[in-house]
Amino acid sequence: MFVATTQLRRFLLCVFLWLLTQRGTCGAYHEEGRYPCAFIDTVNITGSYSMGSNMNGSYLHNWTVIPRELVTPYDFVIENGIRVPAVRHLRACVCRLRPCVRFCCPAGQFYQLETRRCVDHPEVPGHSHMTVQLQNGTQLHQELGTWFSVHVESPCDHMRAVTKDSEYLHWTLHENGSITHREHHFTKHYCFTPLLFGNSSWSWQPLACEPEKLHFVLGVREWTYAICLLICIISMFIVLMVHLTCSDMRNSFYGVAVKAYMICVIFGYALLAHLTLHDPANLSSAACRIIPSRCSSWFCPFTY
Ligand SMILES: *[C@@H]1O[C@H](CO)[C@@H](O)[C@H](O)[C@H]1NC(C)=O
Ligand SMILES: *[C@@H]1O[C@H](CO)[C@@H](O)[C@H](O)[C@H]1NC(C)=O
Ligand SMILES: *[C@@H]1O[C@H](CO)[C@@H](O)[C@H](O)[C@H]1NC(C)=O
Ligand SMILES: *[C@@H]1O[C@H](CO)[C@@H](O)[C@H](O)[C@H]1NC(C)=O
Ligand SMILES: *[C@@H]1O[C@H](CO)[C@@H](O)[C@H](O)[C@H]1NC(C)=O
Ligand SMILES: *[C@@H]1O[C@H](CO)[C@@H](O)[C@H](O)[C@H]1NC(C)=O
């Protein structure tokens, strides 16, 4: 009887731990599946002409026919890598029809990395033409408009250049819109800007979003999680009290084992609740030393 309840408790703890690890991944998977492509590959096509059922419900946007399956209503936009709620609007995956090329600034300007703004410069090269590498390896100085869907927008407010040993790299723009340096692919969340080398030579560089320090917000999810943990702690505490007062076996080997187990789990859950409610950026070094002991509290029940 006693062994059975311990095993049941262990099983429930395993299920709980498994649920904790699954929590994030389930949601993310579901959301990706709802949209035909990544947000960065879409444009707002509000006001485009819908061609009706004899054209399979396709849309006409800027003289391009967009198949219905590439058009989805969105109720958010992504700004600086963060989802921001927005009025429901239609967006189309235009980068699926033609590869997209993004520029940070309008023609005649370049992105100044220090001030993080577009700055006028009389000698900035125009972005109508760029060197494009074809599938067979040939490099051509191409007019971009005929091959690509050209967008002028920076995906984030703060962009940074990617350097290696404080040198800029030579990135190649491919015919399919991907940007590579040897085997490395540049992120999709980029924009091109000309940068000045030395005094007079300009070179095109893709810029990536600068990682922002994430804001720590105590949302409904964190509070629910912390309250569940608190309820767990209280019930475990009651079980421990009952065990201490009523059990005849409390001084036997199993009694001591269960007491140690309960205390470890209560301590572990309390620490977990504490970590949930505190900004990870503010954790002191003392707290970091405690975390290994929290981990060991997961293992201690399994050693009996
Ligand atoms: C989408 O485009 C329409 C028309 O140009 C505009 O009114 C609306 O604000 C845009 N929506 C978003 C979320 O950008
Ligand atoms: C509409 O879809 C059907 C089958 O998916 C296809 O045979 C037909 O050619 C399409 N019509 C147009 C105008 O695209
Ligand atoms: C419409 O498409 C043309 C090329 O086909 C492009 O030059 C122009 O910028 C596009 N306009 C918009 C608003 O996307
Ligand atoms: C690569 O393809 C382009 C056009 O498809 C062609 O003009 C060029 O000669 C080809 N280059 C080689 C090396 O085959
Ligand atoms: C685009 O082409 C390059 C070189 O041919 C290749 O490495 C890359 O995987 C391609 N990207 C996509 C998305 O097909
Ligand atoms: C850059 O310009 C400065 C003066 O504006 C000049 O002293 C320097 O030699 C120039 N450097 C190169 C590499 O041309």
Side-chain angles (χ1 to χ4, degrees):
M1 173 62 200
F2 175 74
V3 174
T5 53
T6 321
Q7 275 176 349
L8 181 71
R9 214 175 289 145
R10 263 185 219 173
F11 173 73
L12 287 178
L13 183 69
C14 284
V15 169
F16 182 65
L17 285 178
W18 182 78
L19 284 176
L20 281 187
T21 55
Q22 294 296 309
R23 198 169 60 111
T25 45
C26 291
Y29 179 74
H30 183 68
E31 257 163 37
E32 280 298 305
R34 265 171 58 195
Y35 299 101
C37 61
F39 183 85
I40 185 90
D41 291 336
T42 63
V43 292
N44 181 0
I45 60 157
T46 306
S48 303
Y49 179 64
S50 172
M51 298 198 290
S53 55
N54 52 350
M55 284 294 280
N56 291 345
S58 305
Y59 286 83
L60 189 62
H61 174 69
N62 193 19
W63 308 109
T64 312
V65 176
I66 301 173
R68 195 189 145 78
E69 59 272 16
L70 294 184
V71 177
T72 329
Y74 278 70
D75 55 7
F76 64 89
V77 292
I78 292 183
E79 286 172 4
N80 291 312
I82 295 167
R83 228 180 217 246
V84 181
V87 181
R88 204 172 161 83
H89 60 291
L90 284 181
R91 301 189 79 92
C93 299
V94 288
C95 301
R96 285 277 197 90
L97 299 173
R98 266 168 152 208
C100 287
V101 175
R102 265 167 259 282
F103 290 95
C104 305
C105 302
Q109 298 188 331
F110 74 103
Y111 190 88
Q112 200 171 45
L113 292 167
E114 298 81 38
T115 59
R116 295 158 164 173
R117 276 191 297 117
C118 289
V119 175
D120 283 308
H121 196 288
E123 284 156 31
V124 168
H127 51 50
S128 60
H129 288 68
M130 259 177 101
T131 305
V132 179
Q133 182 163 323
L134 305 182
Q135 294 284 341
N136 62 14
T138 319
Q139 294 207 341
L140 287 179
H141 198 62
Q142 268 285 330
E143 196 201 337
L144 291 179
T146 55
W147 286 59
F148 297 101
S149 167
V150 179
H151 300 266
V152 179
E153 72 199 330
S154 65
C156 301
D157 289 342
H158 295 173
M159 306 296 292
R160 68 185 163 87
V162 174
T163 53
K164 191 174 177 234
D165 305 326
S166 64
E167 296 250 342
Y168 292 119
L169 301 174
H170 180 75
W171 294 94
T172 309
L173 173 63
H174 291 272
E175 155 177 50
N176 60 11
S178 65
I179 300 170
T180 61
H181 170 76
R182 301 209 178 112
E183 295 302 302
H184 302 285
H185 279 249
F186 206 84
T187 166
K188 259 185 182 182
H189 298 79
Y190 79 95
C191 59
F192 269 121
T193 186
L195 290 179
L196 197 56
F197 283 81
N199 278 0
S200 56
S201 72
W202 292 89
S203 143
W204 285 102
Q205 281 286 318
L207 304 182
C209 286
E210 190 155 285
E212 297 252 349
K213 213 174 147 185
L214 285 179
H215 297 293
F216 179 75
V217 210
L218 274 179
V220 176
R221 181 194 273 203
E222 283 77 20
W223 277 112
T224 320
Y225 185 37
I227 289 169
C228 288
L229 284 172
L230 270 176
I231 294 171
C232 283
I233 292 170
I234 293 168
S235 0
M236 294 246 182
F237 196 71
I238 294 170
V239 173
L240 182 65
M241 283 300 134
V242 170
H243 182 78
L244 284 180
T245 50
C246 313
S247 170
D248 291 338
M249 291 205 292
R250 66 176 170 228
N251 287 327
S252 69
F253 172 73
Y254 285 114
V256 174
V258 166
K259 266 185 274 177
Y261 161 77
M262 285 288 185
I263 290 165
C264 283
V265 171
I266 287 172
F267 180 67
Y269 279 11
L271 208 58
L272 213 53
H274 173 83
L275 288 174
T276 309
L277 294 175
H278 284 80
D279 189 346
N282 296 343
L283 279 186
S284 62
S285 54
C288 289
R289 279 200 300 275
I290 298 174
I291 291 172
S293 57
R294 173 184 72 125
C295 297
S296 61
S297 77
W298 296 130
F299 291 106
C300 80
F302 298 103
T303 53
Y304 291 111

